Amino acid sequence: MASEMETSGRPGRWLRILLFLSLALNLLVVGAAVGFFLNGPPAPRGDRSDPVLPYTRAFDEDQRRELRRGLWRAMRKDAGAMRAGYLADYQRGLELLRQEPFDQAALAALLADQAARGVEVRTRGQEVLVKFLVEMSAEERRAYADRLEAELERMRSRGHGRDKDRDGRQPPKPPRD
């Protein structure tokens, strides 16, 4: 019995749905990254752990505010072009999804381009973070390291043992200088 691809020459419906979901997920991630860098992180909700942002959570509120300002300064000259580029990519994704015959290679290339732009935005954010840390005094960095360590401990305790090795032991903490 021939598959749908062999009889019609077109990818099956399941493949199109899968590619659409992949595109949607990628766009969601890129949109969240851009939103974070343009608007700052969302306000903390209760005591929830955010495994993606322990470095940011370890700053006090004044430091987070200053870091957001630094991110905005690093991104603002390109913000309009970035937003327009993302919207154009979304529009192109819609066109590709509706196109017959479906061009899988073009959609894959679009997703790869979006991922590369996401890496660029993340890299800028990391550069701002490093610059911010370099400008701290040694005492401020030590206090920050202590808060980061406490944040990581909170994350470990919320993991309910998921960070343990195969023998059920907690991995050793790195030595403190």
Side-chain angles (χ1 to χ4, degrees):
M1 183 170 167
S3 71
E4 184 180 335
M5 181 76 165
E6 292 169 353
T7 58
S8 69
R10 295 182 5 211
R13 172 176 254 169
W14 67 268
L15 181 59
R16 289 168 59 180
I17 290 170
L18 182 64
L19 288 170
F20 175 78
L21 291 174
S22 175
L23 172 65
L25 181 61
N26 278 293
L27 296 177
L28 180 66
V29 169
V30 169
V34 170
F36 172 80
F37 286 112
L38 296 180
N39 300 320
R45 295 184 291 189
D47 191 30
R48 285 180 35 174
S49 173
D50 188 352
V52 179
L53 299 172
Y55 289 107
T56 303
R57 290 177 58 104
F59 287 118
D60 65 35
E61 188 55 42
D62 290 337
Q63 290 170 323
R64 277 194 292 273
R65 187 176 308 112
E66 188 56 37
L67 185 60
R68 277 193 302 269
R69 287 181 186 139
L71 287 168
W72 172 247
R73 285 189 296 271
M75 304 294 283
R76 73 175 161 208
K77 68 178 180 161
D78 300 327
M82 286 173 49
R83 186 175 301 125
Y86 288 125
L87 290 173
D89 285 347
Y90 297 149
Q91 187 62 45
R92 178 68 180 139
L94 290 171
E95 292 166 5
L96 289 169
L97 290 169
R98 293 181 174 129
Q99 178 180 315
E100 287 297 332
F102 179 70
D103 189 346
Q104 178 180 352
L107 182 60
L110 175 67
L111 293 175
D113 289 346
Q114 288 174 324
R117 278 192 291 283
V119 168
E120 181 183 330
V121 169
R122 186 173 43 252
T123 300
R124 280 186 179 176
Q126 290 168 343
E127 290 168 355
V128 170
L129 175 62
V130 169
K131 182 177 185 253
F132 189 81
L133 293 169
V134 165
E135 292 174 354
M136 289 177 142
S137 69
E139 181 179 313
E140 289 171 322
R141 274 194 308 279
R142 278 191 297 275
Y144 171 73
D146 290 343
R147 290 190 306 272
L148 178 58
E149 183 175 42
E151 179 64 30
L152 294 173
E153 284 298 319
R154 279 192 293 275
M155 289 173 65
R156 279 189 195 102
S157 69
R158 288 188 187 114
H160 304 291
R162 285 181 273 174
D163 294 331
K164 294 180 180 174
D165 66 13
R166 289 181 188 217
D167 297 325
R169 294 182 306 238
Q170 196 73 22
K173 292 181 186 178
R176 287 180 68 180
D177 292 329

